[in-house]
């Protein structure tokens, strides 16, 4: 976007078009180096869609918690998923501390989503299914890590998890 080319949006217009969380998502992805940030409207639209999809998936999973596997989470696919979650936590924290927000978004959203999808695919390919505690941990971790970018939807998901305090106090 450029004011000189006429495709400029004020912050108010952008929030009306894409929502606060959608804008924050797109701005985090726009760049954080010494180069000019490159806001892309498609990224904002895609971000809104991805966040909405995550919210709907979370609602579905929470409604069907009783159908998920319990007991020890010691299957190979469980350990792979848990390791992926832990790696994303570490990499997100490192990126946040270095103010590399594009990288933080990559790890706390895209990489975690990919790990979840792989876990879901492995679980559906076998007869074991996903583990209840790991899925709840994934939802909680992703909400916590994504909250600096998308506080409104993360607060909503935090409430769906039954948390009584704000995610900002976690």
């Amino acid at each position: 976007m450029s004011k000189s080319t006429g495709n400029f949006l004020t912050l108010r217009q952008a929030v009306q078009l894409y929502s606060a969380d959608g804008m924050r998502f797109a701005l985090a992805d726009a760049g954080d180096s010494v180069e000019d940030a490159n806001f892309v409207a498609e990224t904002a639209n895609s971000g809104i869609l991805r966040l909405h999809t995550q919210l709907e998936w979370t609602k579905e999973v929470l409604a069907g918690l009783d159908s998920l596997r319990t007991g020890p989470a010691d299957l190979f696919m469980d350990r792979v998923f848990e390791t992926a979650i832990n790696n994303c936590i570490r990499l997100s924290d490192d990126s946040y501390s270095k103010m590399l927000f594009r990288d933080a978004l990559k790890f706390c959203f895209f990489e975690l989503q990919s790990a979840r999808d792989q876990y879901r695919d492995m679980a559906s390919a076998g007869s074991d299914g996903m583990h209840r505690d790991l899925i709840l941990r994934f939802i909680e971790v992703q909400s916590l890590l994504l909250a600096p970018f998308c506080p409104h939807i993360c607060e909503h998901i935090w409430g769906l998890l039954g948390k009584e305090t704000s995610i900002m106090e976690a």
Side-chain angles (χ1 to χ4, degrees), residues 102-133:
R102 180 184 281 172
D103 288 346
L105 182 65
K106 174 183 146 187
F107 297 122
C108 77
F109 187 76
F110 296 107
E111 294 291 326
L112 265 176
Q113 292 287 306
S114 177
R116 186 232 25 217
D117 292 344
Q118 289 175 354
Y119 180 63
R120 186 181 57 201
D121 292 345
M122 285 189 287
S124 65
S127 61
D128 297 312
M130 297 186 296
H131 195 278
R132 181 183 191 273
D133 295 340

Side-chain angles (χ1 to χ4, degrees), residues 21 25 47-63 65 108-109 112-113 116 135-147 149-168 170:
D21 283 350
F25 188 96
I48 292 169
L49 182 60
R50 288 176 185 266
L51 291 170
H52 178 73
T53 302
Q54 175 62 15
L55 175 61
E56 292 305 312
W57 179 85
T58 300
K59 288 178 182 178
E60 287 176 25
V61 166
L62 293 177
L65 275 180
C108 77
F109 187 76
L112 265 176
Q113 292 287 306
R116 186 232 25 217
I135 290 299
L136 288 173
R137 181 165 187 260
F138 163 81
I139 295 169
E140 184 173 327
V141 165
Q142 186 164 57
S143 296
L144 287 167
L145 292 176
L146 193 59
F149 298 129
C150 305
H152 305 97
I153 195 163
C154 291
E155 185 73 42
H156 182 66
I157 291 172
W158 195 250
L160 293 175
L161 288 171
K163 306 294 185 178
E164 294 185 15
T165 62
S166 170
I167 194 168
M168 298 303 162

Side-chain angles (χ1 to χ4, degrees), residues 72-103:
D74 57 1
L75 297 177
F76 176 74
M77 67 180 181
D78 297 334
R79 292 192 308 258
V80 168
F81 186 45
E82 187 168 19
T83 299
I85 291 171
N86 291 335
N87 283 338
C88 286
I89 292 170
R90 184 180 49 78
L91 293 168
S92 296
D93 182 54
D94 187 51
S95 297
Y96 275 124
S97 67
K98 293 177 182 175
M99 297 180 69
L100 298 172
F101 300 120
R102 180 184 281 172
D103 288 346

Side-chain angles (χ1 to χ4, degrees), residues 5-24:
T5 59
N7 61 354
F8 176 80
L9 289 174
T10 65
L11 186 56
R12 182 178 307 259
Q13 291 169 325
V15 168
Q16 288 174 345
L17 282 173
Y18 304 112
S19 79
D21 283 350
M23 271 304 296
R24 292 169 65 109

